[in-house]
Amino acid sequence: MLLIRCPYCEETLPELEFVYAGEAHIERPKDPSSLSDDDWRDFLFMRSNVKGPHFERWRHVHGCARFFNAVRDTVTDRFLATYKAGEKRPSLAELEKAE
Amino acid sequence: MTFHAQKRPVAAAGAVTIEDLAPEARFSLRGDPADAGILGRTLGVDLPTAIGTRNEKDGRTALCLGPDEWVVLAGEAERDAILDAFAAIEADTPHALCDIGDREVSVRIVGPDAAALLAMGCPRDLSHLAPGRAVRTVFDGVSIVLWREAEEVYRLDAWRSSAPYVRELLETGVVELRAGL
Ligand SMILES: [Zn+2]
């Protein structure tokens, strides 16, 4: 079982308390009706499908109930970092240096 | 040495009891953490702001479940007084106070095997849940609030609809512990 650090609870807890919630840092367009069909399709459906460190959302659903962001390596399943929603995306170079 | 000789002494196995708790006033309180001061003064208990910690005063308890979420417990007779006090600050301090007294039921699990029993359904390392703390967690897929009231005393709150399932699993667990499994 994966152990995931919740940045709100500040505890490292079993995966069973969490749910995955898709790719992170995808900004909803401010004015959706001004978008072309292709741009709207890309916002709704197109994801980066990274092999390696992936920025993604998780929710501590059986816990503080908060959404937060994580960087997880999709090859090794290793979490490089978790951080609160709204915080800046950490730099991969620095995360790898810290490893 | 036989297999049976390796088992724990019969007297110690399954040393755990499950007790139903009487109904009480329960609320879910949501509000801006910046308003924790006024919300706490309205309740009469300082609202804790660290997740998993609780404060208690004059029979009223507040437990911090999330950054902007608390559970409030009090005697049944205090229900209306709490509702009225929060209604009075509603205009200036937006918040949500929801009566969940009918939504949840609780059991108290006591004994040296209490943690072993809970570990059958709860993936948390309960040795990290210090006495006095309480957290929302999961028990075999069901969201629960687990209070560690003392070293060997736990309280489990479950939603009414899932409580029979949780209760049945706990009862089965007690039988398994007594059988030395
Ligand atoms: Zn959390």
Side-chain angles (χ1 to χ4, degrees), chain A residues 6-10 13 18 60 63-66 68, chain B residues 51 65:
Chain A
C6 174
Y8 292 95
C9 295
E10 296 178 337
L13 296 164
F18 298 83
H60 191 190
C64 63
R66 279 301 166 125
F68 59 91
Chain B
I51 294 169
L65 282 185

Side-chain angles (χ1 to χ4, degrees), chain B residues 126-134 148-149:
Chain B
L126 294 179
S127 67
H128 290 180
L129 184 67
R133 293 189 70 224
R148 189 167 191 184
E149 297 181 317

Side-chain angles (χ1 to χ4, degrees), chain B residues 90-115:
Chain B
E90 200 180 3
D92 297 322
T93 310
H95 66 273
L97 182 75
C98 181
D99 184 348
I100 55 166
D102 207 34
R103 184 184 82 179
E104 294 180 9
V105 290
S106 301
V107 291
R108 182 169 288 130
I109 299 162
V110 184
D113 275 341

Side-chain angles (χ1 to χ4, degrees), chain A:
Chain A
M1 191 187 308
L2 295 174
L3 293 173
I4 302 172
R5 182 156 187 89
C6 174
Y8 292 95
C9 295
E10 296 178 337
E11 272 194 279
T12 302
L13 296 164
E15 181 191 354
L16 288 178
E17 291 193 357
F18 298 83
V19 286
Y20 176 71
E23 189 170 349
H25 301 293
I26 292 172
E27 198 177 336
R28 186 181 170 85
K30 294 247 176 339
D31 181 12
S33 55
S34 69
L35 259 60
S36 69
D37 285 351
D38 283 358
D39 287 344
W40 184 242
R41 174 206 61 200
D42 288 353
F43 163 70
L44 287 181
F45 302 115
M46 303 311 277
R47 297 295 179 260
S48 53
N49 198 22
V50 171
K51 181 179 182 184
H54 182 232
F55 292 82
E56 57 195 24
R57 299 197 316 152
W58 284 78
R59 186 177 180 214
H60 191 190
V61 60
H62 299 298
C64 63
R66 279 301 166 125
F67 283 89
F68 59 91
N69 294 328
V71 190
R72 179 181 58 98
D73 191 313
T74 57
V75 177
T76 60
D77 233 359
R78 210 181 136 82
F79 279 80
L80 304 177
T82 57
Y83 52 103
K84 290 179 181 176
E87 285 181 1
K88 265 185 66 183
R89 179 198 291 253
S91 112
L92 273 182
E94 269 170 42
L95 286 176
E96 272 154 19
K97 225 190 316 169
E99 276 287 282

Side-chain angles (χ1 to χ4, degrees), chain B residues 7-36:
Chain B
K7 284 190 182 175
R8 287 176 303 162
V10 173
V16 56
T17 57
I18 305 169
E19 167 202 353
D20 289 306
L21 299 188
E24 59 192 332
R26 296 179 202 224
F27 299 93
S28 164
L29 174 62
R30 304 291 302 267
D32 188 334
D35 289 333

Side-chain angles (χ1 to χ4, degrees), chain B residues 14-21 106-111 113-114 117-118 139 154 156 163 166-175 177-178:
Chain B
V16 56
T17 57
I18 305 169
E19 167 202 353
D20 289 306
L21 299 188
S106 301
V107 291
R108 182 169 288 130
I109 299 162
V110 184
D113 275 341
L117 177 62
L118 286 164
F139 188 84
Y154 295 84
L156 185 157
V166 170
R167 185 68 202 244
E168 199 171 305
L169 281 174
L170 289 170
E171 300 286 359
T172 304
V174 171
V175 173
L177 286 169
R178 293 215 170 115

